[in-house]
Amino acid sequence: MANDQPADDQPPGGALTRPPRVAFIDDDEDLLAGLRRALWGLGLGWEMLFFSAPREALAALIETPVDVVVVDIRMPDLNGVSVAAELARQVPETACIVLSGSTDFDLAVSSINVGRIFRYLLKPCPTSTLVSAVSAALSSPAGRVPATGHQVFAKAAIDLLNCGVIVLGQRGEVLFTNQRAGALLARRDGVLVDNTGVCRASSLEDTQVLHVAIRTARDLNTSDAMTIETMSHGLLRVVVRPCEEEADSDRPSVCLYLFAQDAPSAVEPHLLRGLFGLTSSESKLAAALANGLSLEVAAQKEGWTQNSARTYLKTVFSKLGVSRQADLVRIILRNAGG
């Protein structure tokens, strides 16, 4: 942690007669160092703190609150959504801005149940964009972060997915959809929302199967998949999985990923992580193979050696119980393909 200016005892909130306090949390120390140099050179007049350990940061910011926290979403031990949730509970006057990589859709979905996320910024984030976001948070009335801030956070991420995403609450009610899912629901062909707000399939039989999968994902923390036949757009593949890192255990939510046959989607690595328990590298390799790349091209694309790629492949084979690449691809496409 580094503190660039002396602090005083005035708490956040109300008119600031002291320098604004802004904290940055990221496990990448090189990134933090570069950010500190860039911001310090701008002469913003902020009191800035930098943390590379999220748990240490959380404890410090609860004990001595700041006005704005900028936190990376993917960190070991404690992710940014969990940090934001705990700050919202214990120091609600602190506004949170989340920085995320472009593949953090599972955590973005879980953020729907986390209040007080002021803004979602995608990495790499220009310094000017970051400064504008922090300035906007500082100028907002204390304790009154826009109610839709966390929804903007999630929507900004999952609208980038090339598949439909529906987030369901405890009763199967629809809490959130991205644009693709909204278009599919509007067709009322395959999946739909009934007059109580609950997500259903077009047929009673498919609805029963879907709801069993939803309950299983919610209660047993496991993933499932099914295929629904539609009248207008072929087969609809539905992957059902629990939202990662649920922030509020009293409001469990489940994610549906929808792949319509008339809008084929590339297999996304983050889906394979949840479905098959793969690591990040293993899921990237498996997705690349399912999307038609050779092992050599996938290794080159990711910057791996051929030996590393073969090692990842052997581990993926073991986890999925197969011994041939063709069988691997078949299982992936059956469970997560378009």
Side-chain angles (χ1 to χ4, degrees):
M1 182 190 77
N3 188 340
D4 288 340
Q5 297 184 19
D8 56 40
D9 295 329
Q10 182 178 344
L16 291 178
T17 58
R18 53 164 175 76
R21 294 176 181 152
V22 183
F24 300 87
I25 309 172
D26 197 306
D27 61 304
D28 187 335
E29 295 190 11
D30 290 336
L31 185 150
L32 281 180
L35 183 62
R36 185 153 117 201
R37 286 193 299 270
L39 295 176
W40 183 251
L42 296 176
L44 297 166
W46 299 344
E47 177 189 330
M48 293 182 286
L49 300 94
F50 296 83
F51 300 87
S52 59
R55 289 195 181 276
E56 174 190 334
L58 181 60
L61 297 176
I62 289 173
E63 181 177 355
T64 307
V66 297
D67 301 297
V68 180
V69 172
V70 179
V71 59
D72 183 32
I73 199 170
R74 284 273 179 197
M75 297 182 293
D77 192 29
L78 190 67
N79 67 52
V81 171
S82 298
V83 171
E86 193 61 20
L87 288 175
R89 188 176 72 84
Q90 298 208 44
V91 280
E93 62 271 24
T94 297
C96 285
I97 294 172
V98 176
L99 287 172
S100 169
S102 61
T103 58
D104 294 328
F105 302 111
D106 47 359
L107 284 177
V109 169
S110 75
S111 75
I112 290 171
N113 285 338
V114 178
R116 316 205 72 77
I117 293 178
F118 182 82
R119 196 155 295 177
Y120 168 83
L121 301 176
L122 207 60
K123 286 184 175 180
C125 178
T127 302
S128 59
T129 301
L130 179 59
V131 170
S132 295
V134 172
S135 298
L138 289 170
S139 64
S140 294
R144 284 192 279 166
V145 175
T148 57
H150 58 296
Q151 295 172 347
V152 171
F153 166 63
K155 190 171 180 58
I158 67 174
D159 271 341
L160 300 177
L161 273 175
N162 194 28
C163 67
V165 179
I166 303 174
V167 181
L168 303 177
Q170 190 170 13
R171 297 184 299 104
E173 72 276 17
V174 175
L175 300 178
F176 186 85
T177 71
N178 69 349
Q179 292 178 1
R180 287 182 179 271
L184 289 169
L185 289 171
R187 296 180 181 184
R188 298 186 64 83
D189 182 16
V191 290
L192 54 92
V193 181
D194 67 16
N195 57 9
T196 67
V198 171
C199 184
R200 299 184 182 278
S202 297
S203 72
L204 178 60
E205 181 180 359
D206 284 338
T207 296
Q208 292 172 339
V209 174
L210 176 62
H211 285 185
V212 168
I214 291 169
R215 286 195 298 271
T216 301
R218 184 191 65 214
D219 298 338
L220 302 182
N221 199 38
T222 59
S223 300
D224 201 354
M226 63 180 293
T227 301
I228 297 174
E229 188 170 353
T230 71
M231 297 292 292
S232 62
H233 50 281
L235 295 177
L236 181 67
R237 193 64 182 164
V238 182
V239 177
V240 185
R241 56 175 300 205
C243 287
E244 184 177 322
E245 299 293 340
E246 191 63 44
D248 186 345
S249 60
D250 294 329
R251 297 176 58 198
S253 54
V254 171
C255 302
L256 306 185
Y257 293 83
L258 311 177
F259 301 87
Q261 194 175 63
D262 63 357
S265 302
V267 174
E268 297 284 349
H270 77 282
L271 289 179
L272 303 187
R273 290 202 302 269
L275 284 172
F276 303 117
L278 305 180
T279 66
S280 177
S281 295
E282 292 163 0
S283 63
K284 288 178 181 178
L285 176 62
L289 297 177
N291 290 327
L293 299 184
S294 66
L295 183 71
E296 292 74 19
V297 172
Q300 183 179 14
K301 178 176 178 288
E302 296 295 337
W304 302 323
T305 65
Q306 296 293 318
N307 286 338
S308 293
R310 292 189 186 98
T311 299
Y312 295 146
L313 183 60
K314 288 179 181 178
T315 306
V316 173
F317 278 169
S318 176
K319 289 183 177 181
L320 273 70
V322 298
S323 57
R324 298 189 310 157
Q325 189 169 315
D327 294 332
L328 170 67
V329 171
R330 188 176 301 113
I331 289 175
I332 291 172
L333 293 180
R334 186 172 68 240
N335 286 276

